[in-house]
Amino acid sequence: MTELGWKSVGVLELTALPSIDEARWVSWVREADVLLVNGGDALYLGHWMRESGLAELLPSLPDTVYEGLSAGSLVMTPRIGEELRGLEAAHRRRRRAGPG
C-alpha cells in the first residue's frame, strides 16, 4: 500500500488483539484514517471481529473509512452478516457432533 502513496500502513492481527492491551490497539484503530480489511474466510473473519471487540468499536468511528475486500466486505453487510452467523452456529454444532 505504501507504493500507492500511503504514508504508513499498520497491520492488526485480529486473533492477537485479545492478548494486547485494549487501550493500546483501540487507540491505533481510532487514529487510522482507513481500515482495510482483507478477504479470506468470512466466517472466521466475522468471528474474530466480534471476539476481538473490533466489531463493537466500529460504530463509534463515523469518520473512518472502512475498505473491505471480499470477505472483508461481506462481514459488514448486515443481512449477510446475520446469515453468516447462522451458518457459523450450524458449523459449530456439526463439529461438536463429530463424523456421522
Side-chain angles (χ1 to χ4, degrees), residues 73-82:
S73 60
L74 283 174
V75 297
M76 294 306 291
T77 306
R79 181 168 172 232
I80 293 175
E82 288 296 321

Side-chain angles (χ1 to χ4, degrees), residues 35-74:
L35 297 176
L36 177 64
V37 181
N38 207 348
D41 182 332
L43 294 175
Y44 182 84
L45 180 58
H47 168 80
W48 281 104
M49 285 181 76
R50 290 187 305 280
E51 185 73 21
S52 68
L54 181 60
E56 187 177 321
L57 177 64
L58 291 176
S60 70
L61 307 171
D63 297 325
T64 303
V65 174
Y66 180 96
E67 176 75 25
L69 304 173
S70 191
S73 60
L74 283 174

Side-chain angles (χ1 to χ4, degrees), residues 17-50:
L17 291 186
S19 67
I20 300 171
D21 179 45
E22 186 174 324
R24 187 170 191 178
W25 72 260
V26 167
S27 69
W28 295 336
V29 172
R30 288 193 183 283
E31 292 169 10
D33 295 318
V34 177
L35 297 176
L36 177 64
V37 181
N38 207 348
D41 182 332
L43 294 175
Y44 182 84
L45 180 58
H47 168 80
W48 281 104
M49 285 181 76
R50 290 187 305 280

Side-chain angles (χ1 to χ4, degrees), residues 1 4-6 25 32 75 96 98:
M1 292 299 166
L4 298 175
W6 295 19
W25 72 260
V75 297
R96 280 192 296 250

